[in-house]
Amino acid sequence: MKHWSAVTIAMLLFGFAAFSTSHQASGQTGGGWVTLFDGKNLDNWEQIGDANWKLADGVVVADKGNGFLVSKNSYTDFQLRAEFWIDDVANSGIFIRCTDPKNVGGKTAYEVNIWDARPVQEYGTGAIVDVAKVNPMPKAGGKWNVYEITAKGSTFTVILNGQKTVDNAQDAKFASGRIALQHGLGLKDDKGVASDKGVVKFRKVEIKPL
């Protein structure tokens, strides 16, 4: 009876250790990659603004409002992979090194743009706004896309669907900060009012600290 109890206790301890290890490893995708979003929950994100983010069919989607999903953690040097979908009019972007998580914008972060309809297209989809232009601007509307963004020190590289759109751009304004996913305001009408419509979806976001 004593021997049986010792074996049982050992098995229970082993099972607990395995569960603990598995729990700690959740979110890890191998090779140093960490999953920030996998279509199931928004546990790694905080919402600011009034964009109507919601989970549906394995993605997070917004089609109205102006706001962001902001990562709870900050990052310095990293590679980021994100899968996204927009329609032809949507204004979105992935903001990196956000220094003020309550006030995300071009003055507090770098914006890797996702906006096919941007009036000044050299800073549209594929560009880093006010840092690295793109010419010609690739179109992302109406299909699933993959962004691969590398930030290391003051050097930035952006790849969209296998095409390098930013090649070792240099800027040193922001050294570290959070990640933010945007559903933003679009084009203005003849009265000067910007549209808050346009569909934006994200289905997978991973990061690898460098």
Side-chain angles (χ1 to χ4, degrees), residues 12-139:
L12 288 173
L13 289 173
F14 177 80
F16 177 79
F19 172 80
S20 177
T21 301
S22 174
H23 180 72
Q24 290 173 3
S26 65
Q28 300 288 337
T29 60
W33 289 93
V34 178
T35 299
L36 296 181
F37 177 68
D38 61 2
K40 297 177 181 178
N41 60 65
L42 295 173
D43 292 351
N44 295 314
W45 304 88
E46 299 173 344
Q47 183 173 345
I48 64 171
D50 63 0
N52 61 341
W53 298 104
K54 55 185 178 291
L55 292 168
D57 301 321
V59 305
V60 60
V61 56
D63 60 9
K64 189 174 178 61
N66 183 32
F68 299 87
L69 295 174
V70 183
S71 68
K72 292 181 178 179
N73 293 326
S74 292
Y75 303 91
T76 302
D77 294 339
F78 57 83
Q79 290 178 294
L80 181 74
R81 289 195 304 229
E83 298 179 14
F84 67 92
W85 188 100
I86 59 166
D87 63 16
D88 291 335
V89 300
N91 177 13
S92 183
I94 299 176
F95 288 70
I96 62 174
R97 292 184 176 171
C98 303
T99 58
D100 184 350
K102 301 299 183 182
N103 184 28
V104 177
K107 294 182 179 180
T108 60
Y110 297 110
E111 179 185 4
V112 182
N113 213 353
I114 306 172
W115 190 8
D116 287 359
R118 193 181 198 272
V120 182
Q121 298 228 319
E122 62 188 10
Y123 284 127
T125 301
I128 302 177
V129 177
D130 295 331
V131 173
K133 299 178 180 179
V134 61
N135 184 24
M137 187 199 75
K139 295 291 186 73

Side-chain angles (χ1 to χ4, degrees), residues 1-9:
M1 186 68 177
K2 291 182 179 179
H3 176 70
W4 181 86
S5 297
V7 171
T8 302
I9 292 171

